[in-house]
Amino acid sequence: MAPPATTKPLRALVALAVIMLGLIAWAFWPGTDSTVRLGLDLQGGTQVILLPKPVSEGASITDEQLQQTVAIIRQRVDGLGVAEAEVTTQGSGDGAAIVVSVPGASQDRLVDLVQKTALLDFRPVYSINNPAPAPSASPSASPSASASAPIGTTDLVQAPENSPEFQAEVANLDCTNPEAYSGGTPDDPALWLGTCDETGTVKYTLEPAFIKGTNVTGASAVLPQGGVGWVVSLEFDGEGAKALGDASTTLSALPDCGQGASPCNAFAIVLDGVVTSAPRFNEPILGGQAQIEGNFTAQEANDLANILKYGALPVTLEAVDITSVSPTVGSEQLRAGLLAGLLGLVLVMVYLIVYYRALGVVAMISLIAAGAIVYLVFVVMSKSIGLTLTLAGVAGAIVAIGITADSFIVYFERIRDEIREGRTLRQACASGWVRARRTLLAADFVSLLAAVVLYLLSVGSVRGFAFVLGLTTVIDVLVAFWFTHPIVVLLGRAGWMQRGSRWTGLDPDRLGAPSMAGAIARQGRRREPKEVPNP
């Protein structure tokens, strides 16, 4: 016995229509960018050449440090989205250079993201002062490091204790000078620190750190419920959570502080030697979690979370060359590639229509629906996670045309086999789908598994190919289950399809064997009207 025919194919069609309407609204919402981002080889981008330098004087750069630096930078730029970034090294040792190429990213944002060492620490605030240098400071008293400051420090003042000499240097620090709050200089968490905030409007005297950045186990950008701005949420390990609890218990018991006052219940979050935020402890924090508030935009909060999440660089980086990269493929080659893909799609459609007739039309419409969903998903993911389409991704989408067409062919051939065995068209549509979907799911699972493995083990353009291949494979399953099958079931209920004419693609001559539908059609054509005897 054949399984019962599908009774409610309209439900699947309505569900797919709702999904497509949602994607259309998201993709083409007024006031937002509704285009697909193109990769480095299609639209160009930004290339930055970085020279690694050791953190301490006299040290040399090892290959292990280079590999770690490349891994961290790749994670940071990948945090911008599926951006097809290229991070490579040239040379080795002290003469090595790191080349970062990212499509579409602004130069300032890219340099700021990859160059930061991301040394984070949490320090009690000793005093908050005017950003300008002390009036009694001599003209030659410019921001400079103390004798105990780290090598290369020109925008920090550090000392092992809060001595009068240290206070004098902090007073001479000019936070109105952009060089003093540009960041990028590591500070020593064990020393006292005089530095500026990231806007240059406040000058801080800070005690030694009570939490280091290495105690941070997670960071994410969040928009608090009912909040007015983005914040960066931090999670700490056991040591960091205990230190945060002890420090917050001590500092929350202190009074509020003002300009030049001491003591203070505030603590400073210092990133690369610059105060990112200076919140106050109103009560002890015992949960091992904290938030950085700084009137961040969504992009600024995500960038900071990526930097903190993926750790500090083992070396400092100096940007020696920043260039705009032109497309390596060019508009003519892109146009030719898209034309070739469109021609291949048309040939597949023509073949399906010639061979399967009415069912071929269903396959053609299904391919169009799958292509529309793929495009909408590309636009939505470009807007939401920064998906960038490269020539390798285009190749993955073209390969998926064959995978999608195979799904239709498997189903249609199962229907024809069922009719050859003597079942009606309605029975064949149901029983053929039950058998075909197992083959369809098995084939798509193998393609999806290959795409996932390739994505996890590869980088660059190959990763983009794997991502698009996996995405289109999932869409193939969606279209087959929620569009192709319901449409075929509705066609199977139509009388003209059940009569088995040559335009259905299911006539006896094309099937190569008498079918039940064909036999019924022939019997109907040979039947002559009977004479009704007179009473």
Side-chain angles (χ1 to χ4, degrees), residues 362-435:
V362 175
M364 180 187 71
I365 299 175
S366 299
L367 283 173
I368 295 174
I373 295 175
V374 168
Y375 176 76
L376 291 173
V377 171
F378 280 169
V379 174
V380 168
M381 298 186 77
S382 292
K383 296 170 64 174
S384 58
I385 67 172
L387 171 68
T388 304
L389 186 64
T390 64
L391 194 62
V394 174
I398 293 175
V399 169
I401 295 176
I403 297 176
T404 305
D406 284 345
S407 302
F408 307 147
I409 292 173
V410 169
Y411 182 27
F412 297 162
E413 289 299 325
R414 283 293 187 183
I415 292 176
R416 298 170 73 165
D417 289 341
E418 295 295 317
I419 293 177
R420 289 188 184 101
E421 293 176 5
R423 292 187 175 90
T424 65
L425 180 58
R426 295 188 63 166
Q427 292 174 332
C429 291
S431 59
W433 172 249
V434 171
R435 297 180 179 180

Side-chain angles (χ1 to χ4, degrees), residues 149-164:
I151 298 297
T153 299
T154 58
D155 54 355
L156 305 178
V157 178
Q158 291 196 265
E161 58 184 15
N162 188 20
S163 61

Side-chain angles (χ1 to χ4, degrees), residues 319-335:
V320 296
D321 185 55
I322 306 172
T323 57
S324 296
V325 182
S326 60
T328 59
V329 174
S331 58
E332 293 296 329
Q333 289 82 353
L334 174 60
R335 197 157 32 243

Side-chain angles (χ1 to χ4, degrees), residues 15 21-22 63 77 80 84 110 122 148 183 206 210 226 291 301 357 433 436 438 451 461 474 482 514 523:
L21 289 175
D63 291 340
V77 295
L80 298 174
E84 306 295 341
L110 178 60
F122 293 70
S148 57
L206 305 175
F210 59 86
Q291 289 183 339
R357 306 295 172 86
W433 172 249
R438 301 171 187 168
S461 58
V474 173
W482 285 9
Q523 291 174 4

